[in-house]
Amino acid sequence: MKKHYLFFTGLLALAVSCSQGPSGSMSDSDLNIERRVDSVLAKMTLEEKVGQMNQISTGGAATGPVLGNNNDMTDLRAGKIGSILNLVGAERTREAQEIAVNETRMGIPLIFGLDVIHGYRTIFPTPLGESASWDTVGIKESARIAAIEASAQGVHWTFAPMVDISRDPRWGRIMEGAGEDPFLGSMIARARVEGFQGKSLTDNNTIVACAKHYAAYGAAEGGRDYNTVDISMRTLNDIYLPPFHAAVEAGVGTFMNSFNEIAGIPSTGNEYLLRDKLKGEWGFKGFVVSDWNSIGELVNHGVAADEEEAAEIAIKAGSDMDMVSGSYLENLPRLVKDGVVDEKLIDDAVRRILRIKFQLGLFDDPYKYCSVERENELLLHPSHREHARDIARKSIVLLKNEGQVLPVSKKTRTLAVIGPLADSKKDLLCTWTAKGQPDEAVSLLDGIKKKVDDGTRILYEKGCDITGDSKAGFASALSAARRADIVILAVGEAGDMSGEAHSRAYIGIPGVQPDLIKEIQKTGKPVVVVLMNGRPVTFEWTAKNMPAILETWFLGTEGGDAIADVLFGDYNPSGKLPVSIPVTVGQIPVYYNHKNTGRPFEKGEFFTSRYLDIPNEPLYPFGYGLSYTTFKYSDISLNKTKIAFSEPLIVKVKVTNTGEYDGEEVVQLYTRDMVASVTRPVKELKGFKKVMIEKGETAEISFELTSDDLRFYNDKMDFVAEPGDFKVFVGTSSDNVKEASFKLIENGSKD
Ligand code: GLC
């Protein structure tokens, strides 16, 4: 069988080197790739083109309703499959690749995709938890390691980073993102894309990333997964789109649609999102894959009468590849032949898909990712575990430490370790665990045992289950607590209570755990509450009545060691909340970058925006996190009080470590546009720096702001900054800042 493209591989293979991400400018290698894409495309039949747009799932647990036509190697041999998700392993991917390359007319290699969300075999903190580190360098390294491990098992493409902004902890998938803020979310999106994609997609230890779920999936009404999203164009563009734009600027190779509609238009069929914004305004050159059956689900949405119409809507809107619905394979050839769909749309989609395959180097070596040797050498490498421990402890947020209960002495005579999560390994990995193995994780109990002196007695009691109403374990737990000098109490959600299709209407600590906390508190012993959760949970009583609380999310393979590092003071906690923690579920949505309203809350004033039964403020706000030391912020200074457009404003602040421990501090910079053509948030994060400040030392931190940083979608939906009065805030949390004022003036104006 003649291999058309092999000829070109021979001629141009040497010429092809790494090319910038699909949205980067055209380099020589880009031009070579374009020539190769065109040459392959020119030889393809319509059916073969549509085959490239068809993705099936096989070899792993379905992440959605199984649609039946998967695992079909017959289709593969017929050139009807361009991508397979959930198939991993050097040998298994090689088997499928050999069929695609040697037994189809065109011999176009497959691209293998998998959800590598927070690690592959070495599992890192859940993305929301890792975002609490505010350590973009460390976050990038986690993605880098995940790519190294996944590519060693044949994975070319991860369906990550998930960059959905969310202000609603009822939504289980809040754990997959970077929280509530567009700026932090954008910085982390960039870090994760760069980590996965490395310096060049042609390297065999880089994988193409996927910005998902485009868009506004996190704004589901009621926090109920897959539910309707109805937000304004301004909120969409100001809040939900920036991390996606950041991913494009970082060179992300692919996007994934979201399941939801936005104001009546499902994302999978949303031409504004896909062609106007993504491929038009942002110049995205990669391809868009649907989410699991989201093309077929246009019928459920009620915008398509059947899957044929769904395929027509999706391709016209700009969805390039069909994840498992089969609608494209079944309908596009006929729609083109009937003149309903222009073949140019098919060509554009296939060009985008082939471009990524060329950029991955798959045409030059379809088996470059199928190496058993690399598989054995790299998975769970000690250096990977070391990083996992480091980023995990940096993700821990110290919420409370009354009476300096923490850090705990390693010489403590008797330590009670209690709670249903104290000795759990599986929960530490949470969901989207790729090839992570629970038995390779370090539980909190394990971590504590390794830390304390030989003379320390550890009394471990589970106390109760995570859910359920049995208190049968309380008595022995209380007995252990009474015999101990201090109690470490590990409570929270099960790892599988967050994630896809796991919304909760009650988001308190589940089961009888709250009762256990109260009973332990009655013993009068010093207690450290170690919270473990995917989504933020509510714990108002605990926050008021317990002296020390650590938010540890689900920290992954090295979770137990990381928590023990913090518990015993071998690492001074530095995490800051990437999302507000509500007082109660009734307060949702609660977020720091809210509007002022016409009747902002005023103590003592009845007719103002407030609740009768709870405060407006969250239990713990965005950007909040304590340290074992203390930091004092001096007044902030500005180099000017007036700046013209594009003129830099230099903001400086001195931060002194006034405590007894060296510590890292996340210095945060916010602005407020006081008067504008539309209402503006009372604060917006515009910068942050995580700095180590030794005890007794003072650091001077400076930020640079220009009018570009002050842009928003104005009353005409133009993305501009408007002249006028601004405030600038610098501090340790969104609710604890020093402020100054400045004016943005028209160029050449005097005031
Ligand atoms: C799921 C998820 C998506 C994931 C995909 C493939 O339904 O929504 O995030 O990447 O299917 O597993």
Side-chain angles (χ1 to χ4, degrees), residues 63 85 115 159 173 212-213 256 259 291-292 323 500:
T63 49
L85 78 132
D115 292 286
F159 305 123
R173 303 198 77 168
K212 74 182 186 182
H213 305 79
M256 181 187 291
F259 290 115
D291 200 339
W292 187 284
M323 182 186 285
E500 183 171 1

Side-chain angles (χ1 to χ4, degrees), residues 553-708:
W553 318 101
F554 286 121
L555 292 172
T557 306
E558 285 292 327
D561 280 334
I563 299 172
D565 287 342
V566 168
L567 281 174
F568 295 94
D570 288 341
Y571 179 77
N572 180 0
S574 62
K576 299 282 184 179
L577 292 177
V579 65
S580 307
I581 298 179
V583 169
T584 175
V585 71
Q587 192 178 46
I588 292 170
V590 59
Y591 46 92
Y592 87 94
N593 48 352
H594 60 78
K595 303 299 186 64
N596 201 35
T597 78
R599 293 195 171 188
F601 173 68
E602 243 179 271
K603 202 168 172 55
E605 283 298 324
F606 187 80
F607 295 101
T608 61
S609 182
R610 65 195 180 92
Y611 297 98
L612 291 179
D613 47 0
I614 61 168
N616 288 3
E617 294 70 30
L619 188 63
Y620 293 102
F622 174 83
Y624 175 90
L626 301 177
S627 169
Y628 290 153
T629 191
T630 48
F631 294 104
K632 178 177 173 297
Y633 282 68
S634 63
D635 293 344
I636 64 179
S637 64
L638 309 182
N639 67 326
K640 296 184 167 205
T641 55
K642 290 179 187 169
I643 58 165
F645 278 70
S646 305
E647 190 181 356
L649 176 76
I650 309 299
V651 184
K652 288 186 179 177
V653 69
K654 285 189 177 140
V655 184
T656 302
N657 180 337
T658 50
E660 294 308 311
Y661 292 84
D662 298 346
E664 291 164 288
E665 169 68 336
V666 180
V667 182
Q668 301 155 46
L669 173 81
Y670 298 87
T671 61
R672 179 179 180 180
D673 189 344
M674 300 309 289
V675 179
S677 58
V678 294
T679 58
R680 307 285 294 115
V682 296
K683 276 197 189 83
E684 293 178 279
L685 183 70
K686 295 294 182 186
F688 61 90
K689 289 185 178 175
K690 184 161 191 173
V691 292
M692 167 58 83
I693 305 176
E694 291 177 2
K695 62 182 179 186
E697 294 300 311
T698 295
E700 180 171 81
I701 312 297
S702 70
F703 296 94
E704 183 174 302
L705 276 175
T706 72
S707 56
D708 286 351

Side-chain angles (χ1 to χ4, degrees), residues 410 412-413 449-458:
K410 294 175 186 174
T412 302
R413 279 175 47 79
K449 284 179 179 172
K450 287 191 264 180
K451 248 335 159 192
V452 296
D453 285 5
D454 297 345
T456 301
R457 197 158 56 116
I458 294 177

Side-chain angles (χ1 to χ4, degrees), residues 55 57 61-65 85-86 114-115 117 158-160 162 164 173 176 210 212-213 217 225-226 256-259 290-293 323 432 500:
Q55 179 186 63
S57 172
T63 49
L85 78 132
N86 291 328
L114 185 76
D115 292 286
I117 306 299
T158 177
F159 305 123
M162 187 272 222
D164 298 309
R173 303 198 77 168
E176 294 177 46
C210 181
K212 74 182 186 182
H213 305 79
Y217 184 21
D225 205 357
Y226 315 124
M256 181 187 291
N257 295 142
S258 60
F259 290 115
S290 77
D291 200 339
W292 187 284
N293 188 39
M323 182 186 285
W432 297 116
E500 183 171 1

